[in-house]
Amino acid sequence: MTACTVIGLGEAGATYAAALTAAGHTVSGFDPVAPSTPAGVSRAATAAEACAGADIVLVLTGAAAARSVAQECLPVLQEGSCYADFTSSSPGVMRELGQLPSKAEFADVAILGPVSALGEKTPLMVSGPGAQALADLLAPLGVDLAITEGEPGAAMAHKLLRSVLMKGLASVVVEAVTAGRAAGLEEWIRAQIAGQLAGDGQAVIDRFLVGTAKHAQRRSKEMQDTASYLADLGVPAEMTAASATALSRMAQETVPTAPALR
C-alpha cells in the first residue's frame, strides 16, 4: 500500500484519487475550491499538509499553479518519494521545477488524451528521475504509460508537439462543421472529414508536406475566399484565416530566387 497525495481535486484529480483509493492505496488530497472530495480520500487544509508522509504526490492543477504548488510541497517530501507534475506547463517550466531543492524525485507527466473520456486509463508519457516510481504505481490500474528518456520537460515537449496537431485539428473540425451546419451541409462536411481521417496516415502526411508547399500560393487565395464565404455565413473563421496567412508565408518562402545579373 502506497501513501498517495493528489493536489487538485477537479475532474482529472478526482479521477486519479478515486482510482488509487479503489486500488487500496491511502490517499490524501488538497484543493482550495473543488466542491467535493472523492470517497475515501482524506482532504487536508493545505497542500503541504496533504503531502506530509506521502510516498508519491500527483499534481493535477492548472499550469498557472505549478510553481507555487511545487514550492510549497517539494520541501516537505521525504527521501525516496516521488513528485509527479501532471500540469500542462512548458518544458522550460518543468526543467525549472525539476531543479528545485528536494529529497523527492521529480517526474514530468504528459497526459495524452481526454481524462473525461478515458479516466485513469488515459495514456501518459513520463520523464525525469521519478518516472519509474509513477509507472510502478499506475501500471496496475491499466494505465498506458510510456517512459521517455531525458530530464523533466522531455515528456511535456512531446505533448506540446502533439498539441500542434490535436488542438489545431480539433479547432479546424469545429470550424468546418459549424460552417457546414450554417450552409445546410453538415452531413456532407462530416463525411468529408471522416474520409480524410481514414486510410494511410503516413501517405497523407507526405502528401500534405509536398503538396502544401508546392501549391501554397493558389491555396492561400482559396483560403482567403473561404474566409470571406464563412463571413457571409456568419461563422467565425479564425482557423481558415490563419491557414491563408500560413500558406501565403509558405508561398513566399518557396518562390524561386532570380538568377543574379552579371
Side-chain angles (χ1 to χ4, degrees):
M1 181 183 296
T2 302
C4 305
T5 295
V6 177
I7 305 297
L9 295 172
E11 182 178 46
T15 296
Y16 284 101
L20 290 168
T21 300
H25 300 292
T26 301
V27 182
S28 61
F30 171 74
D31 191 305
V33 296
S36 61
T37 305
V41 175
S42 174
R43 188 159 174 169
T46 68
E49 179 185 320
C51 291
D55 297 314
I56 187 162
V57 176
L58 283 65
V59 180
L60 289 124
T61 68
R67 281 193 180 89
S68 61
V69 171
Q71 289 166 350
E72 180 177 354
C73 296
L74 283 171
V76 307
L77 293 177
Q78 59 195 3
E79 188 77 36
S81 61
C82 170
Y83 182 90
D85 190 321
F86 285 65
T87 70
S88 294
S89 299
S90 70
V93 169
M94 287 294 191
R95 286 193 295 271
E96 174 192 328
L97 298 184
Q99 293 170 359
L100 292 175
S102 177
K103 295 178 181 179
E105 295 184 328
F106 190 93
D108 156 29
V109 189
I111 301 175
L112 302 180
V115 176
S116 59
L118 302 175
E120 72 276 7
K121 292 182 173 56
T122 303
L124 303 175
M125 179 173 283
V126 190
S127 65
Q132 189 59 56
L134 183 68
D136 292 343
L137 176 72
L138 297 183
L141 304 182
V143 179
D144 178 8
L145 187 149
I147 296 177
T148 186
E149 294 183 3
E151 294 303 304
M156 190 52 60
H158 284 75
K159 175 175 180 173
L160 295 187
L161 286 174
R162 182 177 182 272
S163 291
V164 176
L165 169 66
M166 298 306 296
K167 303 308 187 292
L169 177 61
S171 298
V172 167
V173 168
V174 169
E175 189 164 293
V177 172
T178 302
R181 185 178 302 130
L185 296 169
E186 180 176 351
E187 292 307 312
W188 181 84
I189 194 62
R190 280 176 171 269
Q192 291 291 305
I193 294 168
Q196 289 298 318
L197 294 177
D200 186 342
Q202 292 295 340
V204 171
I205 293 170
D206 290 339
R207 175 163 57 84
F208 285 169
L209 289 173
V210 174
T212 300
K214 182 178 180 181
H215 302 291
Q217 185 64 51
R218 173 178 60 77
R219 292 179 180 178
S220 175
K221 177 60 170 63
E222 180 179 329
M223 294 306 285
Q224 292 170 26
D225 292 341
T226 304
S228 295
Y229 175 53
L230 265 59
D232 293 341
L233 292 172
V235 173
E238 294 95 341
M239 300 304 294
T240 301
S243 294
T245 299
L247 287 163
S248 179
R249 172 186 55 77
M250 288 183 232
Q252 294 299 316
E253 292 174 349
T254 57
V255 171
T257 304
L261 297 176
R262 294 186 179 182

